[in-house]
Amino acid sequence: MSVYILPIKVAFIMFGVLGFLLVIPWMVYSYRKYGYFSLWASIVAYSFIFYMLSALFLVLLPLPSTRNTCAFQSPNTVYYSLKPFTFIHDIFKSSSIIWSQPRTYVQIFNQSAFWQAAFNFLLLLPFGVYLRYFFQEKRFWKRALALGFSLSLFYEVTQLTGIYGIYKCPYRLFDVDDLMLNSTGALFGFLIAPVILALFPSREKILAKGEKIQKSYPVSPLSQLLAVLIDYIFIKLTFSFTVGLLTSSGFAEMMYITEGFMVVYFVIPLLWGGKTIGTSIMRFKLSNLKGDAPSWQALLKRTVSLYLPWLASKLDSLLSHMKLAIESHLYFTYVWVTVAMLAFVSIMWLTLSIHAVFVMLKKGKRTFYFDHVADIVPRKNEANS
């Protein structure tokens, strides 16, 4: 059993890292695809990622302890088995089944060859279920079979090549029976999928709900926050690949991002009719209460409102990294200023977090403070309304 537990543990760790990195891209995709954040679609997507990682690691792990796998194998080792249905012969050759005595049939479950075949059949069965969810219609069964075969072939080739040259010799057998069982399992999963998927909302229902939401007036609060975050990530990335390559100065970063705030949150929407990079990706724009493009005064208020919390956090970070000798006559003042700044920033972010939760619970009936102070209203683009 430990042979299967290790790959799943590794898959879980990798899934945690990959899932974290994909949170924002997935949320952006979800809003663009469905018009809202679908919990069920997210469960399907993330479970599919976890399943694919688990299947891959179940096939490849545990890895050999050395690259020179040839040293542990005889010179005439055969790395492939091209004779089909060998697994049936392996199951019965050492079993004590007597065909005239049905009670002996249970002995088949004591054969390791049987469980190996069962594992290969079940390995891609969930893959077939996912394919049915994506393709929907039964008429695509040939496509599901082909994809199941292709995925199984990828696994077998990966094993036969020693993970494409990482190991000098293959450490697992290329078996045509595995191809047949994997492909059959994927097809079986595709055919029985409706029984499983009937317990959950269909893609049609998710898309229909998205169309209904997109026809409504308010822009989702979470979509608004994602737009702000996308704009900020853009500023950080441009710094990392420009000035950040030349210096690690915290002051230089602060000055660059300050300018970035002005360009991304003020200049771009001023020139682009109320759209920023983030709002364009999330398919909405900023407007005044009359529905027109916001004035420069309003955009400036919004920019300053977004900038001040970041500035306070940055100053707190710079203060905490300052080094002052305890003998200095300014040390006592420095300690109190640092503690006061930390308390202020902590209270500020707690307040903003509560505010964000409150706005999201109101589902668009309230605006965030940075839009409220500037009398700005997020509105969906005309093409999507």
Side-chain angles (χ1 to χ4, degrees), residues 10-23 46 50 53:
V10 175
F12 185 80
I13 295 171
M14 292 294 295
F15 169 74
V17 175
L18 189 60
F20 176 77
L21 295 176
L22 292 177
V23 166
Y46 271 76
F50 178 69
L53 287 172

Side-chain angles (χ1 to χ4, degrees), residues 240-314:
S240 298
F241 290 102
T242 54
V243 178
L245 296 175
L246 305 175
T247 179
S248 58
S249 169
F251 180 75
E253 179 183 5
M254 185 174 72
M255 295 305 298
Y256 182 95
I257 293 183
T258 297
E259 295 177 2
F261 264 86
M262 289 300 298
V263 172
V264 173
Y265 292 109
F266 177 70
V267 176
I268 290 179
L270 186 63
L271 300 177
W272 208 356
K275 294 182 180 180
T276 70
I277 298 170
T279 63
S280 296
I281 292 175
M282 300 309 297
R283 295 180 175 175
F284 71 89
K285 61 183 179 181
L286 307 174
S287 66
N288 58 23
L289 298 178
K290 295 181 180 179
D292 301 322
S295 64
W296 70 267
Q297 295 94 332
L299 289 174
L300 183 60
K301 288 180 181 179
R302 183 177 187 270
T303 302
V304 172
S305 299
L306 287 167
Y307 174 70
L308 289 178
W310 177 87
L311 178 62
S313 300
K314 188 62 179 179

Side-chain angles (χ1 to χ4, degrees), residues 104-280:
T104 63
Y105 295 174
V106 72
Q107 297 297 324
I108 195 174
F109 297 109
N110 295 326
Q111 305 302 315
S112 60
F114 168 81
W115 289 112
Q116 181 65 32
F119 166 77
N120 284 310
F121 178 80
L122 295 174
L123 181 66
L124 294 192
L125 189 148
F127 183 65
V129 176
Y130 281 109
L131 291 179
R132 185 59 175 270
Y133 176 80
F134 297 136
F135 294 153
Q136 293 296 304
E137 298 184 24
K138 184 180 179 180
R139 61 190 177 92
F140 292 117
W141 67 269
K142 293 181 181 179
R143 188 179 301 180
L145 179 61
L147 289 172
F149 177 83
S150 299
L151 182 59
S152 178
L153 183 62
F154 165 72
Y155 291 154
E156 296 299 317
V157 171
T158 302
Q159 293 174 338
L160 183 62
T161 58
I163 313 183
Y164 306 101
I166 293 178
Y167 296 97
K168 293 184 178 181
C169 290
Y171 62 94
R172 290 192 179 180
L173 181 72
F174 178 102
D175 195 340
V176 70
D177 281 344
D178 292 351
L179 284 172
M180 293 190 303
L181 289 167
N182 290 163
S183 305
T184 306
L187 178 60
F188 184 73
F190 185 84
L191 296 176
I192 68 167
V195 178
I196 301 172
L197 297 178
L199 302 173
F200 307 99
S202 64
R203 289 188 68 199
E204 287 82 359
K205 289 183 178 180
I206 295 175
L207 291 171
K209 182 178 178 181
E211 291 177 0
K212 182 178 179 181
I213 291 176
Q214 289 185 38
K215 292 178 181 178
S216 63
Y217 169 74
V219 177
S220 164
L222 188 53
S223 181
Q224 297 174 46
L225 288 180
L226 279 173
V228 172
L229 184 58
I230 290 170
D231 288 330
Y232 179 69
I233 290 174
F234 175 79
I235 297 172
K236 290 286 290 185
L237 287 176
T238 57
F239 169 79
S240 298
F241 290 102
T242 54
V243 178
L245 296 175
L246 305 175
T247 179
S248 58
S249 169
F251 180 75
E253 179 183 5
M254 185 174 72
M255 295 305 298
Y256 182 95
I257 293 183
T258 297
E259 295 177 2
F261 264 86
M262 289 300 298
V263 172
V264 173
Y265 292 109
F266 177 70
V267 176
I268 290 179
L270 186 63
L271 300 177
W272 208 356
K275 294 182 180 180
T276 70
I277 298 170
T279 63
S280 296

Side-chain angles (χ1 to χ4, degrees), residues 88-108:
I88 297 177
H89 175 265
D90 292 339
I91 291 173
F92 291 106
K93 71 177 180 180
S94 58
S95 66
S96 56
I97 294 177
I98 302 175
W99 293 108
S100 59
Q101 299 180 17
R103 65 181 180 181
T104 63
Y105 295 174
V106 72
Q107 297 297 324
I108 195 174

